[in-house]
Amino acid sequence: MSRKIVVTGASGFVGHALARRLHCEGEQVLGICRSDGNFGFPVAKIPSFDDPGALAESLNGADAVVHCAARAHQMQDTAEDPLSAFRKINRDMTLSVARQSAERGVSRFVFLSTIKVNGESTSGRGPFTPDESAHPEDPYGFSKFEAEQGLIELASETGMEVVIIRPPLVYGPGVKGNFASMIKLVHRGLPLPLGAVHNKRSLVALENLVDLIITCTYHPAAANEVFLASDGDDLSTTELLRAVAVAMGKPSRLVPLPSGLLTAGATILGKKAVARRLLDSLQVDISKTRDLLDWQPPLSVDDGLRRSFLIAKDKL
């Protein structure tokens, strides 16, 4: 018997892929978003998530809600008060949707958080684990952490099961932001000064993340737990760029400049945050995810990249 699963943010990068797969697998999926469009699965357009009545009909009879809607992390944030802007969407809206879900008898609420709750870097230490102390460093990370704390309290109050997933960088067809910019540079064959970066970073293919989210909608052991997500194979920035080039059938033109020189140059240019993302390590330990859920990433990094570019190569 199929389940009714509501997916918020169904027009977004992760939400759309998740809802589409659930629909293909025969689930009674209902995507929630603020935009019109033909998504290939049933969608309810909601003007405001804050309206107590706006979600009522959509949530009736739902077995699980997966909350993907969010104000995404932005390298160049133009908001006058970024923390307030992030809190309004990522904390307050999340808790509003969760409370409405609990009131409508939804048994499980899956929240797509971020590894930025753990912190920004694992350089000089071991990989992040899901149950260690949180150390968010920017407004986006803080807003997600505060949402997590509110959800844990709500679960205790109402009995609704809450599952929190913290992914690192998610890549796949249609990815945007810095990863998309990097892809375009590799595709154009431009030389990049990143041929001697010896960090390690975890990332997760969109298909792997979607598979984990679906597992978390039904697995008994997922209830009221926090999980980290990754492909299970960490790469240096240099290795990632080479893997991207191979997946695209392009040569990798990487110039081996010392990381210290790159950091100094980026600092002078006011791009220290960008350099940190390229040069620092950020690893996650998915042992708990594997063991508790008996889950393995379906795709390797190489397969994930290859599938991404086979689908997206005509758009580059």
Side-chain angles (χ1 to χ4, degrees):
M1 184 176 178
S2 63
R3 301 171 297 158
K4 179 179 178 181
I5 301 178
V6 175
V7 179
T8 70
S11 60
F13 180 53
V14 176
H16 182 267
L18 172 64
R20 184 175 57 194
R21 177 168 159 183
L22 287 167
H23 181 68
C24 290
E25 292 183 352
E27 302 285 17
Q28 299 176 50
V29 64
L30 178 63
I32 305 294
C33 57
R34 295 181 178 179
S35 58
D36 292 313
N38 182 11
F39 296 103
F41 49 82
V43 171
K45 182 180 177 182
I46 303 296
S48 173
F49 286 97
D50 296 325
D51 182 354
L55 283 174
E57 185 175 348
S58 299
L59 293 172
N60 284 339
D63 298 287
V65 171
V66 182
H67 187 57
C68 299
R71 185 175 193 264
H73 175 256
Q74 302 174 37
M75 291 297 290
Q76 301 292 333
D77 202 324
T78 58
E80 290 185 10
D81 185 350
L83 181 56
S84 293
F86 279 116
R87 278 175 167 161
K88 180 179 179 181
I89 303 299
N90 296 345
R91 182 192 64 185
D92 299 344
M93 183 183 76
T94 296
L95 297 180
S96 173
V97 174
R99 187 164 292 281
Q100 291 177 65
S101 298
E103 290 171 352
R104 292 287 164 176
V106 174
S107 59
R108 182 164 292 190
F109 188 91
V110 181
F111 177 54
L112 192 64
S113 188
T114 172
I115 196 59
K116 290 170 77 67
V117 168
N118 285 76
E120 298 286 343
S121 172
T122 57
S123 294
R125 53 153 289 167
F128 287 134
T129 61
D131 300 317
E132 66 181 89
S133 298
H135 293 285
E137 296 183 22
D138 68 2
Y140 176 70
F142 273 109
S143 68
K144 287 286 193 175
F145 175 60
E146 290 173 347
E148 289 185 11
Q149 295 300 105
L151 288 172
I152 292 169
E153 291 179 10
L154 184 64
S156 178
E157 292 172 11
T158 65
M160 182 176 68
E161 297 172 348
V162 167
V163 187
I164 295 166
I165 302 174
R166 297 177 188 160
L169 173 68
V170 185
Y171 68 93
V175 68
K176 299 179 181 179
N178 292 330
F179 198 83
S181 299
M182 180 184 71
I183 290 170
K184 290 179 181 179
L185 292 174
V186 174
H187 185 262
R188 292 170 184 168
L190 298 176
L192 299 172
L194 299 169
V197 182
H198 303 296
N199 61 349
K200 285 293 181 181
R201 296 190 74 88
S202 301
L203 57 159
V204 61
L206 179 61
E207 288 184 57
N208 285 343
L209 179 57
V210 165
D211 191 81
L212 175 59
I213 293 171
I214 292 174
T215 300
C216 287
T217 64
Y218 68 82
H219 200 295
N224 303 314
E225 296 286 352
V226 177
F227 297 103
L228 305 188
S230 85
D231 292 336
D233 188 8
D234 302 339
L235 302 175
S236 69
T237 298
T238 299
E239 291 169 335
L240 175 58
L241 288 167
R242 287 175 179 158
V244 168
V246 169
M248 298 173 70
K250 296 284 184 178
S252 57
R253 296 188 170 92
L254 303 178
V255 180
L257 292 185
S259 294
L261 183 60
L262 293 172
T263 299
T267 301
I268 292 171
L269 295 173
K271 300 292 184 180
K272 190 173 181 179
V274 175
R276 193 178 184 190
R277 284 170 167 257
L278 292 171
L279 305 177
D280 279 8
S281 292
L282 198 162
Q283 294 178 273
V284 306
D285 182 345
I286 61 170
S287 297
K288 176 182 174 180
T289 310
R290 293 180 191 269
D291 297 342
L292 201 59
L293 303 179
D294 192 26
W295 180 83
Q296 296 291 336
L299 296 181
S300 66
V301 174
D302 289 339
D303 286 340
L305 291 171
R306 192 176 300 113
R307 289 197 187 190
S308 297
F309 296 119
L310 282 175
I311 296 171
K313 64 181 180 180
D314 59 326
K315 299 179 181 179
L316 294 171

